[in-house]
Amino acid sequence: MPVSKAWQERLANAREQRIREQRWRCRLVNTRRWLDFAGNDYLGLAHDPRVQAAQAEGARRFGAGAGASHLVSGHLDIHDALEDALARWTGRERALLFSTGYMANLGVLQALADSHTAIFQDRLNHASLLDGATLSGARSRRFHHRDSSDLERLLSRSTATHNLVVSDGVFSMDGDVADITALGQLSQQYNAWLMIDDAHGLGVLGNNGSGCVEGFNSDTVPILVGTLGKALGTSGAFVAGDAALIEHITQFARSYVYTTAQPPSIAASTLAALTIVQHEPEHRLRLQQHINYFRQQAEALGLPLGNSHTPIQPLLLGNELRTMTWATRLTELGIQVGAIRPPTVPKGAARLRITLSARHTPSDIDRLLEGLESCLREDVVCPA
Ligand SMILES: *Cc1c(COP(=O)(O)O)cnc(C)c1O
């Protein structure tokens, strides 16, 4: 049967909308050597020979894949060891592995919330948290970014049986950090649960690298989600909390129950990465030096920096064309940055998303700054 005309039109529209982005992607793939200021490998652990070796050795010892879901026969000793280590590191009773952060957020929200729940989310939360709330069937409200009085206004009006406050720890496009103290106080005052997704803070923030919730126990932050594909350099995610909470999620999170367990080799390499994070603070310190240096130099050049002290350093260019022009120029110089446009960020908030890593050298950062300086020299401020 031929595809209907309406469908053909829909597909054509989508194609047109995406065409610029796709060309962009091809060009990135085709170019050979890149100075990467777009990724999330903040500590350089994806390329650490010890982590790489642990993954290879893990595959030899435990198999290339888990072969089944966790609750059938896919959950191996190495998964258990990683869950224990993650629980200890974050100061929680238990941790539970998921295959990706996206699936962790879908699963946790779907397991904990239903139509009698109201979910309160920061406006700039990650897409997976928004999608998880939709999937759960809960009533969803979004509060202004990092605005606790707006959250309080919403909480005070809630008539739901259960209230759940949800926030990114470090916001992925802005690099700023949630006010955990304020979120914790409001959640306790209004008898709400607090869930923090610290995908970008784990491994980077805190004296022990255990993220923006370091120092907050599970009385304040009962539900903690972390991902393993960013600072830990591998892949996957976990949720950490009290034993009863984790047991509930184990039984009811469909994205945990109905999917193949994380490959055991990934669990092995993640365990190696976690050991490095815990015993070698020097990577975190080098990263912090890079952040300070970049900000100081960028400020001197007059670049439109955001208010971030994390490895995510947005340059707020505002206009989409301007953002693409700058990104293209950097591409020509062999430098890769994120060109972030609506709908990923609000209209008028297009930006370059620059990320720093402990793996960079000071001269890498100088090359980036020279590139940005040349963008500034040739800058055309385009009409919106
Ligand atoms: C990256 C990210 C995720 C998704 O994690 P994946 O493991 O890549 O699926 C979830 N939440 C936040 C805040 C993120 O930045």
Side-chain angles (χ1 to χ4, degrees):
M1 200 175 75
V3 179
S4 79
K5 195 148 186 288
W7 265 102
Q8 277 176 13
E9 270 171 27
R10 254 179 98 172
L11 295 177
N13 281 344
R15 205 159 51 229
E16 250 161 53
Q17 267 180 17
R18 286 290 164 201
I19 211 146
R20 252 174 56 186
E21 199 175 326
Q22 272 179 11
R23 262 197 226 126
W24 180 248
R25 198 174 298 149
C26 298
R27 209 137 35 97
L28 289 182
V29 173
N30 289 340
T31 309
R32 232 170 291 146
R33 261 194 59 76
W34 285 97
L35 200 44
D36 182 354
F37 285 99
N40 304 314
D41 181 21
Y42 301 125
L43 299 177
L45 292 179
H47 298 270
D48 188 294
R50 295 165 290 179
V51 178
Q52 292 171 317
Q55 197 166 107
E57 177 56 21
R60 270 190 293 270
R61 275 184 65 191
F62 308 110
S69 63
H70 282 279
L71 294 184
V72 177
S73 64
H75 189 79
L76 308 180
D77 286 352
I78 189 74
H79 294 119
D80 241 29
L82 176 57
E83 286 180 343
D84 283 351
L86 289 167
R88 263 179 278 127
W89 183 46
T90 54
R92 266 57 184 174
E93 260 175 35
R94 277 190 62 192
L96 186 74
L97 286 171
F98 279 82
S99 297
T100 69
Y102 188 91
M103 290 168 72
N105 284 334
L106 290 194
V108 170
L109 289 170
Q110 168 259 315
L112 294 180
D114 60 18
S115 59
H116 304 290
T117 312
I119 298 181
F120 302 88
Q121 307 222 34
D122 190 290
R123 243 181 203 307
L124 298 187
N125 273 358
H126 191 263
S128 56
L129 293 167
L130 307 178
D131 294 355
T134 305
L135 183 66
S136 75
R139 268 172 286 168
S140 251
R141 300 268 184 287
R142 289 163 83 173
F143 55 92
H144 296 315
H145 180 50
R146 295 185 80 258
D147 184 341
S148 32
S149 52
D150 194 39
L151 172 60
E152 174 153 32
R153 184 179 61 83
L154 295 175
L155 278 170
S156 66
R157 291 180 187 171
S158 174
T159 54
T161 320
H162 307 287
N163 295 308
L164 175 58
V165 175
V166 183
S167 179
D168 279 19
V170 174
F171 289 88
S172 47
M173 297 300 141
D174 292 74
D176 53 348
V177 184
D179 184 346
I180 306 292
T181 306
L183 291 172
Q185 277 169 2
L186 277 178
S187 300
Q188 282 175 350
Q189 187 182 335
Y190 288 93
N191 204 18
W193 269 6
L194 176 59
M195 169 176 174
I196 299 292
D197 171 2
D198 201 18
H200 296 276
L202 282 161
V204 171
L205 300 180
N207 287 330
N208 302 319
S210 60
C212 73
V213 299
E214 191 172 294
F216 295 96
N217 62 20
S218 50
D219 291 340
T220 309
V221 182
I223 309 155
L224 173 63
V225 169
T227 66
L228 308 174
K230 283 155 187 163
L232 284 160
T234 59
S235 171
F238 67 94
V239 54
D242 287 350
L245 172 85
I246 298 302
E247 191 52 37
H248 179 89
I249 293 171
T250 306
Q251 298 302 325
F252 294 107
R254 296 170 65 84
S255 63
Y256 176 81
V257 176
Y258 296 108
T259 199
T260 301
Q262 179 188 59
S265 54
I266 304 287
S269 54
T270 307
L271 205 49
L274 181 56
T275 308
I276 294 172
V277 169
Q278 287 176 303
H279 292 101
E280 298 178 11
E282 56 266 35
H283 309 293
R284 215 153 43 240
L285 296 176
R286 193 165 59 252
L287 175 59
Q288 196 56 55
Q289 283 166 1
H290 288 348
I291 296 168
N292 297 343
Y293 177 70
F294 173 77
R295 285 189 63 84
Q296 186 196 356
Q297 298 295 313
E299 217 163 279
L301 290 174
L303 290 164
L305 281 172
N307 181 25
S308 159
H309 297 273
T310 66
I312 301 167
Q313 292 292 324
L315 287 187
L316 304 162
L317 299 176
N319 171 304
E320 287 181 49
L321 189 54
R322 191 181 179 205
T323 301
M324 294 315 287
T325 309
W326 283 47
T328 306
R329 169 98 187 117
L330 292 171
T331 306
E332 287 159 4
L333 299 171
I335 299 168
Q336 191 175 359
V337 300
I340 312 290
R341 294 156 290 164
T344 307
V345 291
K347 224 171 149 49
R351 67 197 61 190
L352 294 184
R353 178 180 182 269
I354 292 167
T355 51
L356 300 170
S357 166
R359 197 159 169 255
H360 290 133
T361 63
S363 74
D364 290 339
I365 298 174
D366 283 335
R367 242 181 88 190
L368 169 68
L369 287 159
E370 278 162 28
L372 290 170
E373 195 178 5
S374 79
C375 291
L376 206 53
R377 259 199 318 271
E378 293 167 21
D379 200 13
V380 195
V381 179
C382 326

